[in-house]
Amino acid sequence: MNRAEPLVLGIETSCDETGIGIVRGRTLLSNTIASSMDEHARYGGVVPEVAARAHLEALQPSIEAALAESGVALADLDAVAVTSGPGLAGALMVGVGAAKALSVSLEKPLYAVNHLVGHIAADILDADAPPLEYPTVALLVSGGHTSLLLVRDLTTDVELLGETMDDAAGEAFDKVARLLGLPYPGGPEIDRAAASGDPKAIPFPRGLSRASDMAKHRYDFSFSGLKTAVARWVEQREAAGEPVPVADVAASFREAVVDVLVTKALAACRDHGVPRLLLGGGVIANRRLRDVALERGAAEGVTVRIPPLSLCTDNGAMIAALTSELIMSGRAPSTLEFGADSTLPVTEIQVAESA
Amino acid sequence: MAPDYPGRVILGIDTSLGSAVAVVEPDGVIRSQVESADPRGHAEVIGTLIERALAEASVSPYDVTHVAAGMGPGPFTGLRVGIAAARTFALGRGVPVVPVASHDAVALELLIHDALTGGYEDAVDETFAVVTDARRREFAYTLYRGLDDDGLPVRVTEPALAPRDDLDAVLANVGAARRDADRIPAGMLGLAAARALAAGRTIGPADALYLRSPDVTLPHAPKRVGS
Ligand SMILES: [Zn+2]
C-alpha cells in the first residue's frame, strides 16, 4: 500500500446522497454525488426506505462515473473506505455491504469511518485553503445533524462538545418551510423568502440559551421549541384574520437559528482558547449563516474556514479524505467485522481497526 | 494460480432471509456454501462470508467469472445488502451479475431432491409453492411446476404476497403443495445461474423484488400547536 499518497475510493450512503469520492493523498480526483432529494420532496422530508432503495440503484453507476471522471482503475486503488455511521441504518447498510464486497473482490484493505469526522476531513481537499491547523472547533449543520466538535487531531482526537437535543437545524428549516406553505427542501426556500424580510421583526426564542440552560447545555442545541414558536405565531395571526408576513417570519426564524449556531460555536472557541472555527454540513449553503459566522468570527479574532459547498454536503470524497489521512498516519485497516452504526459516537473515528 | 484452481467459478450471494454465499463450478459442482441464519445483521457478516466461501472453495476472487445475485423477495433492509455486495464484487472483477429470483434456488433444490429420490413421475406434475416469511403478517410465495429442458424450475406465477391467514386457501385454490423455506441455498442460486448461462437465458429480474411500496405517510397539514 502506498502510505505516502494513498489512492482511496470512499463510499457514503448515510442519508439521501449516494456519494462516491476518489482522492490521492490530499488531492481530490472525483466527487460524484447522486441525490434522491427529489423523490423525498413530496413527503416533506427524507423517507428512509426511499433513500435506501435509491442508494442501491445509484451505487454502481456512481462508482463507474467516479472512476471515469478520475481516470482511475479499481485495480490501482490502495484502499476502499466507507461510512459506518452515524446515519440512517438501512441506508448505511447498502454502502457497508457494497464496500465489503468491493474490498474482498479487489483484495484491497477496507477502512470503516465516522461520517461526522468525514465532514471535517472535507476541508483538507480544499486546494485553495492553507493547511488545517489544530486544535479547531467544528460546527457541522445539516438535515441529519447539528454538532459542535473540538478537533485536536483529525485522526486521533475529536471531542463532542454538544449536539442537538431534538431536530437537526436542517430539519427545522424543512418543518418551518412546510408550515409557511413552502416546498421541500426548506433551506433555500426560507432563504429566498427571507431576502425581503426583517430579521428583527419577530423575537423568536434562542433554544437552550438561557442562563439556566447554559450550565448543562452550554454547547447543545434545540430547535423544536423554535419551530413550535413559529407555528404558534403564525396561527395567532391567522386566527386574528391578519395576513402572515412570510418574509418577516422566514427572516426572523432564520436569524434565530443562525444566531444560536454562531453564538454557541464562538463561545466554544472562546472557552477553549481556539481561534479557529470550521464549518461543514449542507446547511452551510445558507448564505446568512456563512456571513454571520465570518463577520462575528472576525470581530472575535476567530478565523472561520468554509470548504467549497460541494464538499460541505454529504459526499464520498470526505470519507476517502479521512481514510487517506488515517493511512498516511500509519493506521491499520478495519476488519470485515463491523456493521452500520446509526448512532456511532464522534470519538470513534475509525471502527473495527485490526490489531 | 494453484494448479487445482478451477479458474472459472460462479459466486452466489443471497441475503433475502439469512445471509448465504456459495462458490459453484460452471458444471454445477458446489465447491463451498457458507451461511448465517441471522435474519438481521446481513451487513455485519457479508464480507466475512464471501471471504470464507472463496477460501473453502480454494479459489481467489480472480477465478470468479460471474456473480449470481439473489434478488428476493425478502425483507428490504437485508435483501439490499446482498444485491449491493453482488454488484460491487462483480464490478471489482469486471464480470457480469446474474440476477436470480431467490425462490428459484429453493425450487431447484426441491426438484433435484425429488428427482434423486425417485419421486420422479409425481414430481413432474406437482405444482408447489415456495413460501417465505415476508414479515408484517404476510408470506411471499412463488408457484412452480417441474424442471424445463435447461434444468431450470418452471415458474407458474411470479413472486407475490399473501396475508398469512389466507395463504393456505390461496394455494388450495390452485392445487399447489406448500413448501416453506427458512433459508435460501446459495449453492442452488449459483447452479440456477450456471444453467441460465449455459442456456443463454436471463432468468431473474434486474431490480430487487421488493413486492411492496416503501412505507411512507404523506404529510398532512401541519398540526396546530394551540396558543
Ligand atoms: Zn452529513
Side-chain angles (χ1 to χ4, degrees):
Chain A
M1 183 164 42
N2 177 351
R3 282 202 181 267
E5 241 195 347
L7 183 61
V8 183
L9 180 141
I11 299 177
E12 150 65 38
T13 63
S14 70
C15 192
D16 62 341
E17 328 265 12
T18 310
I20 305 296
I22 300 178
V23 308
R24 189 189 299 278
R26 291 175 175 161
T27 307
L28 176 64
L29 301 183
S30 176
N31 181 17
T32 300
I33 297 170
S35 175
S36 60
M37 185 192 283
D38 293 345
E39 295 174 56
H40 305 285
R42 51 193 286 245
Y43 308 114
V46 174
V47 180
E49 177 60 22
V50 171
R53 288 187 183 192
H55 284 309
L56 181 62
E57 296 323 309
L59 207 54
Q60 187 177 339
S62 299
I63 296 175
E64 285 166 338
L67 293 169
E69 186 189 13
S70 59
V72 165
L74 284 172
D76 300 334
L77 293 176
D78 289 300
V80 175
V82 68
T83 303
S84 171
L88 302 170
L92 286 165
M93 282 181 212
V94 177
V96 169
K100 286 182 177 179
L102 187 60
S103 149
V104 173
S105 164
L106 296 170
E107 298 184 313
K108 305 285 184 185
L110 177 63
Y111 286 77
V113 302
N114 189 301
H115 173 86
L116 292 172
V117 184
H119 272 299
I120 305 165
D123 184 75
I124 289 171
L125 299 173
D126 184 356
D128 300 328
L132 183 63
E133 282 179 79
Y134 299 120
T136 183
V137 170
L139 173 67
L140 307 180
V141 199
S142 77
H145 35 76
T146 306
S147 308
L148 198 51
L149 312 174
L150 178 58
V151 187
R152 293 190 191 85
D153 183 285
L154 181 68
T155 57
T156 58
D157 190 353
V158 180
E159 182 189 341
L160 179 72
L161 297 176
E163 62 188 336
T164 183
M165 311 305 287
D166 38 58
D167 294 344
E171 250 179 306
F173 273 95
D174 292 337
K175 288 177 176 174
V176 167
R178 238 178 80 198
L179 66 91
L180 291 176
L182 302 171
Y184 173 87
E189 296 292 335
I190 295 273
D191 249 9
R192 205 166 299 135
S196 60
D198 175 6
K200 296 196 179 79
I202 310 155
F204 287 130
R206 271 59 172 162
L208 298 180
S209 296
R210 278 189 296 243
S212 56
D213 295 322
M214 288 300 273
K216 222 178 137 213
H217 295 290
R218 188 168 180 78
Y219 306 122
D220 290 326
F221 303 95
S222 167
F223 296 105
S224 94
L226 170 59
K227 177 201 68 192
T228 307
V230 175
R232 183 169 294 136
W233 196 91
V234 169
E235 274 172 28
Q236 282 168 347
R237 271 292 176 123
E238 285 169 342
E242 292 168 45
V244 175
V246 171
D248 283 348
V249 174
S252 300
F253 159 74
R254 183 181 66 177
E255 202 63 12
V257 175
V258 166
D259 182 28
V260 83
L261 288 172
V262 174
T263 300
K264 293 205 173 208
L266 290 175
C269 290
R270 206 178 313 120
D271 298 347
H272 291 87
V274 174
R276 286 172 288 271
L277 173 62
L278 171 66
L279 303 186
V283 174
I284 303 307
N286 192 296
R287 165 119 242 143
R288 181 73 189 149
L289 174 56
R290 295 204 304 269
D291 289 348
V292 171
L294 286 167
E295 192 184 304
R296 285 171 53 183
E300 297 203 23
V302 171
T303 309
V304 178
R305 294 174 71 107
I306 308 175
L309 195 57
S310 59
L311 291 167
C312 277
T313 50
D314 290 349
N315 66 83
M318 68 189 200
I319 300 307
L322 171 55
T323 298
S324 181
E325 294 298 313
L326 290 168
I327 293 171
M328 288 189 280
S329 74
R331 293 277 274 274
S334 302
T335 67
L336 289 171
E337 330 258 317
F338 66 91
D341 185 344
S342 57
T343 60
L344 185 68
V346 73
T347 44
E348 289 191 42
I349 297 164
Q350 178 190 358
V351 304
E353 187 182 357
S354 40
Chain B
M1 206 188 298
D4 59 340
Y5 273 13
R8 271 182 67 82
V9 293
I10 297 167
L11 179 69
I13 300 177
D14 188 288
T15 57
S16 64
L17 293 175
S19 304
V21 181
V23 171
V24 180
E25 291 179 21
D27 61 5
V29 174
I30 297 172
R31 291 182 67 98
S32 68
Q33 176 164 283
V34 296
E35 52 190 85
S36 152
D38 187 352
R40 301 185 195 276
H42 304 88
E44 280 83 348
V45 300
I46 191 68
T48 321
L49 286 182
I50 297 173
E51 228 179 27
R52 267 181 52 209
L54 294 171
E56 286 183 22
S58 306
V59 298
S60 91
Y62 294 85
D63 298 314
V64 175
T65 60
H66 299 82
V67 182
M71 304 305 289
F76 318 149
T77 308
L79 174 63
R80 275 189 288 266
V81 172
I83 298 174
R87 286 179 179 166
T88 54
F89 190 99
L91 187 65
R93 292 272 51 91
V95 301
V97 171
V98 181
V100 179
S102 301
H103 286 182
D104 278 13
V106 179
L108 187 56
E109 185 169 63
L110 290 168
L111 288 161
I112 288 176
H113 179 79
D114 285 353
L116 290 176
T117 52
Y120 182 74
E121 279 173 36
D122 293 341
V124 170
D125 292 318
E126 190 199 30
T127 301
F128 65 93
V130 171
V131 176
T132 53
D133 184 8
R135 304 217 177 122
R136 302 191 203 170
R137 311 186 52 77
E138 287 189 309
F139 286 116
Y141 71 102
T142 311
L143 298 183
Y144 293 91
R145 189 189 297 126
L147 293 170
D148 61 22
D149 292 346
D150 298 323
L152 288 162
V154 178
R155 242 180 272 142
V156 179
T157 62
E158 294 304 307
L161 295 176
R164 262 179 217 196
D165 299 339
D166 299 353
L167 182 69
D168 286 331
V170 169
L171 298 185
N173 245 342
V174 292
R178 173 174 171 161
R179 311 294 289 266
D180 285 272
D182 59 8
R183 56 179 283 271
I184 303 296
M188 289 293 137
L189 196 84
L191 176 58
R195 290 183 173 181
L197 286 166
R201 286 169 54 191
T202 301
I203 57 167
D207 295 319
L209 284 169
Y210 291 119
L211 304 187
R212 269 190 203 119
S213 297
D215 256 349
V216 279
T217 37
L218 280 167
H220 19 239
K223 51 176 186 285
R224 295 186 58 84
V225 291
S227 42

